[in-house]
Amino acid sequence: MLPYPSGDLHVGHAKNYTLGDAVARMMRMRGYNVVHPMGWDAFGLPAENAAIQRGIAPETWTRSNIANMERQIRLMGTGYDWSREFATCDPEYYRWNQWFFLRMYERGLAYKREAPVNWCPVDQTVLANEQVEDGVCWRCGSVVERRKLSQWFLKITDYADRLLAGIEQLDGWPARIKTMQRNWIGKSAGVTFSFDVEHLDAKVDVYTTRVDTIYGVTFIALAAEHPAVERILTALPERRARIEGFAAELRTKSELERTQLMEKTGIFSGAYAVNPLSREKVPIWVTNYVLADYGTGAVMGVPAHDDRDFDFARKHGLPIAQVIAAHADVPDAPLTAAFVDDGRLVASGEFSGMTSEHARTAIGEKLARMGRGAPTINFRFRDWLISRQRYWGTPIPMIYCPTDGEVMVPDAALPVVLPPEVEITGQGSPLARDPNFMNTTCPKCGGPAQRDPDTMDTFVDSSWYYVRYLDSHNARAPFDGAKVSPWMPVDQYIGGAEHAVMHLLYARFFYKFMIDQGYLSGPDEPFTRLFNQGTLLRNGEKMSKSRGNVVGIDETVDTHGVDAMRLFLLKAAPPEDSLEWTDEGIVGRVRFIARVWRACEPLAAAAGRISTAALPEIRGEIARELVRAVHTALKSGTDETVSKRFHYNTTTARLDELVNLLTAATRDPAMAGDPAVLYTVAMLPIVLAPFAPHLADELWSRMGKPNSVHLEPWPDADPAALAVSTITLVVQVNGKVRAKIETAPDIDEEAAFALASAEPPVTAQLAGKTLRKRIFVPGKLLNIVAN
């Protein structure tokens, strides 16, 4: 995943890049044609904050950070193809963001409507959720309001079913990421139906997946912004002051606060709704936890069968009517907690006695016959709001004309470029204050018109960048479909799990759109395999500048060297796990590199003259162990790559064993000039190459090789080298180890039992007992069960 250019990288970032680089190098050496690119997710709010706090133009700050981070990434020895590099703030790139927006607008997938935002009344600007701290503006400290503004959306919900179905194709994705996407999309099947408002010509629509509980409704919960509230207050003016005061308090609360963090409360509106089936009157409450722009903005309260409704009813003294029970009998005792399971209906008129499942169908059908309801498929997620009232982003390519209304910027006039000299104060929309940017002419009538002052959400930038890498200098189109389609989808994507339901979902949506429009061909999922790397910790906490526990790349390289850093990050833990940074750990890798150098460098010239095409002459057990260790490391590297586990910590552990054996052999006078020793020295740079590329290439050069070791093929492990003459067979009696026997690797069960029976500890455990069973794992274990 392309990084945000925030400034300095630390070794936590290096953990991610080192893994990807090892995979890319390994795949190249295994004969694949590999594209391993790098770019910059360069738009975003931090650059504007830097402009305000430091008086630096966002582009200046961003380009400086890119230069420094590129230097650091190159310092790590990563084998990126820098010829494909771009930043999303390049006009040559964001031109195509605008082009995609226009194509979506033409197809009805980009549209504008009013939506609530966080509004700072002092700075006169929209705030991102992370800029609202305890209900106040992060910059000026004023109380933040919720205000409706006209905003641009992308209609991702049109792709809801395909996004959900596509998850089942993602066999190479972590199960938890797929679960998070399913839950975020949140498909549910239910019924939408209406309650009449007593004495008013008004209805309140609700959606529920539990229409079997309709006879248990004891209140209706409305969002404070629901249109029915105003009609109720018009009819009951004595309620207006209190309810409007309650609604005003909610305008300072975020969606997260209202739905998850705040205590659920409300005010009785004074009006009643009529249950369409039971005809009972139930009070209508204006509440803080129902949102106007989520679902219908109204919820039927069923305290007996919903935990949240149960708590709300207990707090406000509302009735709790049980209409579902485990059995068909009406319970005598009042509920002490909500009964949320399916069961059989009670006190539910003609539907009493039915199972919940049967009743959901029957009640839904009756409401449909009455003209009061209909089966409904709902989704939890909503359309993607992309408008940002900011400067450092892609300008939205729309024009507003008094004569022609909303007009697209013609393709030939793209990109709409950000003006370079714009004052960024944190107050209001920077582009809206720039008349040179805002004032333009209408492409249709030629009359005076205004540009859209908003910029796009930066997730637009990262929704298609991976395709641009394959044709990054194309000036005529975002990419040439014929050129890039053979490469797509991405074979291996590596990045953090924090992107599960934002970036990854938006990228899937964009890619399906590109396939639908014929810009690309092939499967409609962009990432075949996804790998989430673990975090790097120091002192038990994730590295961050705010915690003061960051270890910098520059200082680490200066002190310990690049390859030592890479080897530590690969060796200390499986890559998906969190890893604790320790000075002792990286010093251990420095010592490993020194051992490799001491063992190999004096023999490099001689090793460079031998052939490694075939196994060397084996002159004894030490030689056999050396050659076996070489091929064990090769097999580990191959297995971890082919399996896509990428547990190169096991491969580097095999390298430790190999180097220990080689060090001992080079110190043994009897092994001087041994073919196996020279073979091992000659092979070691190849086995090291994906993990310690500088050390490997330097040793390769010392052997007199004309080309880089990274152009060498990765050899397959030779079964003959891996073969062993003896194995250790573990013998258990009733699951406890009683003996270990050195024996031939192909020993069968009867022969193993005969040898085990001759072992005194085994004999003692079997004395006086009856043999019940033998469990034999060839080459590993014999377990004798007796009593």
Side-chain angles (χ1 to χ4, degrees):
M1 297 182 185
L2 83 173
Y4 180 78
S6 55
D8 264 342
L9 294 174
H10 57 69
V11 292
H13 301 106
K15 181 178 187 289
N16 187 19
Y17 301 137
T18 299
L19 175 64
D21 189 60
V23 174
R25 289 181 183 279
M26 182 68 79
M27 294 301 288
R28 282 197 192 101
M29 294 178 76
R30 295 192 70 246
Y32 287 85
N33 195 4
V34 177
V35 170
H36 190 212
M38 175 54 71
W40 309 97
D41 192 9
F43 275 141
L45 192 57
E48 289 197 37
N49 293 342
I52 296 168
Q53 296 163 5
R54 307 175 195 179
I56 303 172
E59 178 151 15
T60 302
W61 185 82
T62 301
R63 298 290 179 186
S64 173
N65 289 348
I66 287 173
N68 184 56
M69 288 173 63
E70 180 175 333
R71 176 190 63 78
Q72 290 182 305
I73 290 175
R74 287 178 181 271
L75 184 63
M76 283 188 277
T78 48
Y80 292 116
D81 181 351
W82 291 102
S83 71
R84 300 174 184 273
E85 178 189 16
F86 57 80
T88 58
C89 64
D90 297 338
E92 297 82 6
Y93 181 83
Y94 68 72
R95 166 190 182 181
W96 303 112
N97 286 347
Q98 296 168 344
W99 185 88
F100 278 120
F101 175 92
L102 294 174
R103 302 296 79 80
M104 289 187 177
Y105 181 82
E106 290 171 338
R107 289 155 182 81
L109 290 172
Y111 67 96
K112 201 169 192 181
R113 68 170 172 84
E114 283 198 339
V117 296
N118 301 315
W119 178 260
C120 175
V122 173
D123 288 344
Q124 294 289 296
T125 190
V126 173
L127 301 176
N129 286 334
E130 60 267 24
Q131 293 178 307
V132 181
E133 300 172 351
D134 297 323
V136 301
C137 174
W138 69 285
R139 184 173 176 274
C140 70
S142 61
V143 175
V144 173
E145 300 174 357
R146 292 286 283 174
R147 178 178 292 191
K148 283 194 171 184
L149 290 181
S150 187
Q151 307 275 287
W152 283 101
F153 289 81
L154 297 184
K155 206 168 185 181
I156 191 173
T157 53
D158 272 13
Y159 281 73
D161 280 318
R162 284 177 61 190
L163 288 166
L164 195 59
I167 294 172
E168 305 311 314
Q169 304 170 29
L170 303 176
D171 295 333
W173 284 40
R176 64 175 180 146
I177 301 298
K178 294 194 287 185
T179 298
M180 290 168 74
Q181 288 217 355
R182 286 190 196 96
N183 293 341
W184 187 262
I185 295 168
K187 183 177 183 178
S188 62
V191 176
T192 299
F193 66 97
S194 60
F195 288 79
D196 290 327
V197 180
E198 188 182 41
H199 305 312
L200 285 177
D201 184 19
K203 297 182 185 297
V204 173
D205 290 336
V206 299
Y207 167 81
T208 180
T209 60
R210 292 298 306 272
V211 74
D212 53 318
T213 66
I214 189 172
Y215 283 84
V217 176
T218 63
F219 69 95
I220 297 295
L222 288 185
E225 305 85 356
H226 194 287
V229 173
E230 178 56 34
R231 301 193 64 178
I232 291 170
L233 296 183
T234 300
L236 301 170
E238 68 277 10
R239 301 275 178 172
R240 181 175 293 276
R242 190 173 177 212
I243 289 176
E244 286 186 345
F246 177 73
E249 291 178 7
L250 295 182
R251 283 197 287 273
T252 67
K253 306 302 179 185
S254 69
E255 179 178 317
L256 178 67
E257 289 176 298
R258 288 180 62 174
T259 57
Q260 298 182 37
L261 303 181
M262 295 175 64
E263 182 184 12
K264 308 300 182 282
T265 189
I267 296 177
F268 174 46
S269 70
Y272 290 85
V274 179
N275 189 310
L277 295 187
S278 71
R279 307 307 299 168
E280 292 180 356
K281 293 195 306 180
V282 295
I284 298 174
W285 282 67
V286 179
T287 64
N288 64 349
Y289 62 88
V290 180
L291 303 177
D293 60 337
Y294 191 80
T296 65
V299 173
M300 67 178 204
V302 188
H305 305 293
D306 181 271
D307 291 327
R308 181 182 64 182
D309 295 346
F310 185 87
D311 293 341
F312 188 89
R314 290 279 290 266
K315 177 178 179 179
H316 295 287
L318 295 168
I320 298 174
Q322 185 172 359
V323 295
I324 307 288
H327 306 288
D329 300 325
V330 178
D332 295 326
L335 290 171
T336 58
F339 180 80
V340 298
D341 296 332
D342 279 3
R344 288 191 177 272
L345 273 65
V346 297
S348 296
E350 65 192 89
F351 305 101
S352 295
M354 287 186 183
T355 64
S356 290
E357 184 178 7
H358 183 192
R360 283 193 282 271
T361 301
I363 293 172
E365 289 174 348
K366 180 163 185 175
L367 289 168
R369 289 196 300 272
M370 294 169 62
R372 300 302 297 267
T376 308
I377 299 296
N378 251 17
F379 293 93
R380 178 180 176 273
F381 82 145
R382 287 169 275 179
D383 282 341
W384 177 8
L385 191 160
I386 65 164
S387 288
R388 298 293 183 270
Q389 289 71 38
R390 315 217 168 277
Y391 168 75
W392 194 234
T394 299
I396 290 177
M398 297 299 293
I399 290 170
Y400 302 98
C401 172
T403 303
D404 295 303
E406 217 170 63
V407 181
M408 297 190 302
V409 173
D411 287 359
L414 299 179
V416 177
V417 178
L418 285 171
E421 301 295 332
V422 173
E423 185 182 12
I424 300 172
T425 63
Q427 296 182 325
S429 167
L431 293 178
R433 293 196 306 269
D434 184 347
N436 291 329
F437 176 80
M438 291 297 297
N439 296 327
T440 188
T441 55
C442 174
K444 282 190 176 180
C445 69
Q450 292 269 299
R451 293 194 185 279
D452 194 303
D454 288 355
T455 54
M456 297 184 198
D457 179 9
T458 57
F459 278 117
V460 172
D461 309 340
S462 58
S463 290
W464 69 279
Y465 77 99
Y466 45 91
V467 188
R468 179 70 174 178
Y469 277 142
L470 298 168
D471 197 10
S472 61
H473 302 297
N474 193 328
R476 299 178 306 279
F479 47 80
D480 180 343
K483 182 177 181 179
V484 306
S485 291
W487 280 97
M488 294 301 295
V490 174
D491 293 279
Q492 184 66 59
Y493 204 33
I494 300 175
E498 67 272 16
H499 298 294
V501 294
M502 301 291 279
H503 161 59
L504 288 170
L505 197 63
Y506 296 150
R508 294 181 61 221
F509 159 60
F510 246 78
Y511 198 74
K512 290 178 189 297
F513 172 77
M514 291 189 283
I515 290 287
D516 289 352
Q517 302 309 311
Y519 308 147
L520 291 162
S521 59
D524 67 355
E525 288 292 341
F527 310 118
T528 302
R529 286 179 295 275
L530 173 68
F531 190 93
N532 296 139
Q533 82 281 0
T535 56
L536 190 63
L537 310 176
R538 193 182 190 197
N539 303 324
E541 294 185 309
K542 183 178 178 180
M543 281 193 187
S544 72
K545 291 180 181 177
S546 62
R547 295 189 179 96
N549 65 346
V550 164
V551 177
I553 286 176
D554 288 321
E555 64 186 87
T556 302
V557 171
D558 287 346
T559 305
H560 303 295
V562 174
D563 285 353
M565 178 182 72
R566 290 173 60 109
L567 287 167
F568 173 74
L569 294 171
L570 290 169
K571 184 180 186 299
E576 69 272 22
D577 291 353
S578 294
L579 164 63
E580 179 74 24
W581 177 269
T582 65
D583 293 338
E584 296 82 2
I586 192 166
V587 168
R589 294 301 88 198
V590 173
R591 293 195 191 104
F592 169 82
I593 290 171
R595 289 201 308 274
V596 172
W597 189 258
R598 286 195 300 268
C600 294
E601 198 277 336
L603 300 174
R609 292 191 292 268
I610 72 163
S611 171
T612 57
L615 295 179
E617 177 188 353
I618 303 297
R619 296 179 178 176
E621 191 55 34
I622 293 176
R624 182 173 287 105
E625 288 183 5
L626 262 180
V627 175
R628 185 183 301 128
V630 170
H631 286 264
T632 300
L634 285 171
K635 184 176 186 302
S636 174
T638 300
D639 290 348
E640 295 305 328
T641 305
V642 171
S643 68
K644 311 303 177 188
R645 289 180 304 178
F646 309 136
H647 284 192
Y648 295 131
N649 56 305
T650 62
T651 307
T652 52
R654 301 293 82 77
L655 282 167
D656 272 355
E657 295 165 0
L658 169 58
V659 172
N660 287 341
L661 288 170
L662 179 60
T663 299
T666 57
R667 291 173 179 170
D668 185 347
M671 297 297 293
D674 190 281
V677 172
L678 294 179
Y679 174 86
T680 302
V681 171
M683 289 293 291
L684 195 51
I686 294 174
V687 190
L688 281 169
F691 317 115
H694 305 88
L695 174 63
D697 228 13
E698 183 61 27
L699 286 172
W700 195 249
S701 176
R702 296 291 177 109
M703 292 178 191
K705 306 293 185 179
N707 297 316
S708 170
V709 69
H710 302 291
L711 299 177
E712 292 297 304
W714 181 268
D716 290 327
D718 191 322
L722 295 171
V724 293
S725 56
T726 62
I727 54 109
T728 300
L729 184 73
V730 176
V731 180
Q732 297 177 335
V733 178
N734 294 330
K736 293 186 177 181
V737 177
R738 299 301 178 185
K740 293 181 179 179
I741 303 170
E742 295 297 317
T743 183
D746 57 351
I747 189 171
D748 62 22
E749 182 177 346
E750 290 302 326
F753 182 67
L755 287 176
S757 299
E759 293 289 318
V762 176
T763 304
Q765 289 295 319
L766 294 178
K769 295 178 181 177
T770 302
L771 179 66
R772 298 297 183 189
K773 185 167 60 172
R774 297 193 312 229
I775 302 169
F776 182 63
V777 181
K780 293 183 179 179
L781 173 74
L782 173 65
N783 184 17
I784 304 168
V785 180
N787 57 23

